[in-house]
Amino acid sequence: MMKAQPIVFFDGVCNLCNGAVQFIIKYDKLSIFKFASLQSDVAEIMLSPYGLDVSEFNSIVLLQNGKVYDKSSAVLHIARQLRYFSPLYFLIFIPKFARDWAYNLVARNRYKVWGKQETCMLPSGSLKARFIN
């Protein structure tokens, strides 16, 4: 049985979040990850069984092998699978509350610092296959 590809859910109108998706795509040479915005119906359908409220778009979420990781844990699990960035996974040993404190600080200010778009990012060409509608 083939494993489902991990899915990164992100705030589709956040410039920082869209930049993070572009960063992942750039370093994900094996096309491991698929992507969907937290504003999509797909996010609601796939994440609600895990008790996640997608109406709060303040976290990146990784769904992988039937497990959900959010905030700093999602970032570290993604980094672990990207060439050159896997050594960052050692930060997982910092308690989650401390990692998430820093994550939340950035998340609370992301629109003020990086801005936001009116609509979700639309992938083009070859990238379309990596995004779930």
Side-chain angles (χ1 to χ4, degrees):
M1 184 162 138
M2 201 169 141
K3 279 194 211 178
Q5 280 184 279
I7 303 170
V8 176
F9 295 93
F10 64 100
D11 180 352
V13 298
C14 167
N15 288 334
L16 173 63
C17 306
N18 283 300
V21 168
Q22 294 300 322
F23 180 88
I24 294 167
I25 289 168
K26 179 179 178 178
Y27 290 99
D28 181 16
K29 300 298 184 195
L30 300 176
S31 299
I32 295 168
F33 296 101
K34 292 245 183 207
F35 304 92
S37 81
L38 285 165
Q39 290 89 345
S40 69
D41 292 338
V42 168
E44 177 74 34
I45 292 165
M46 295 185 83
L47 296 177
S48 62
Y50 296 94
L52 293 177
D53 181 6
V54 296
S55 67
E56 293 192 22
F57 307 117
N58 63 355
S59 178
I60 189 167
V61 177
L62 174 64
L63 175 60
Q64 185 170 21
N65 298 328
K67 293 181 182 174
V68 171
Y69 304 97
D70 70 346
K71 300 183 181 186
S72 63
S73 295
V75 170
L76 293 175
H77 280 272
I78 292 166
R80 181 184 198 183
Q81 297 170 77
L82 296 178
R83 189 173 183 191
Y84 307 119
F85 297 94
S86 58
L88 292 175
Y89 188 72
F90 84 92
L91 295 171
I92 202 80
F93 295 108
I94 296 172
K96 184 168 171 45
F97 76 87
R99 287 185 280 118
D100 283 351
W101 177 86
Y103 182 97
N104 289 333
L105 182 66
V106 172
R108 271 193 309 274
N109 295 293
R110 71 190 186 280
Y111 294 146
K112 281 186 256 179
V113 176
W114 290 277
K116 88 188 247 190
Q117 303 171 20
E118 292 299 314
T119 58
C120 290
M121 173 182 81
L122 295 174
S124 60
S126 62
L127 292 180
K128 270 189 177 177
R130 305 222 17 222
F131 286 78
I132 305 169
N133 299 347

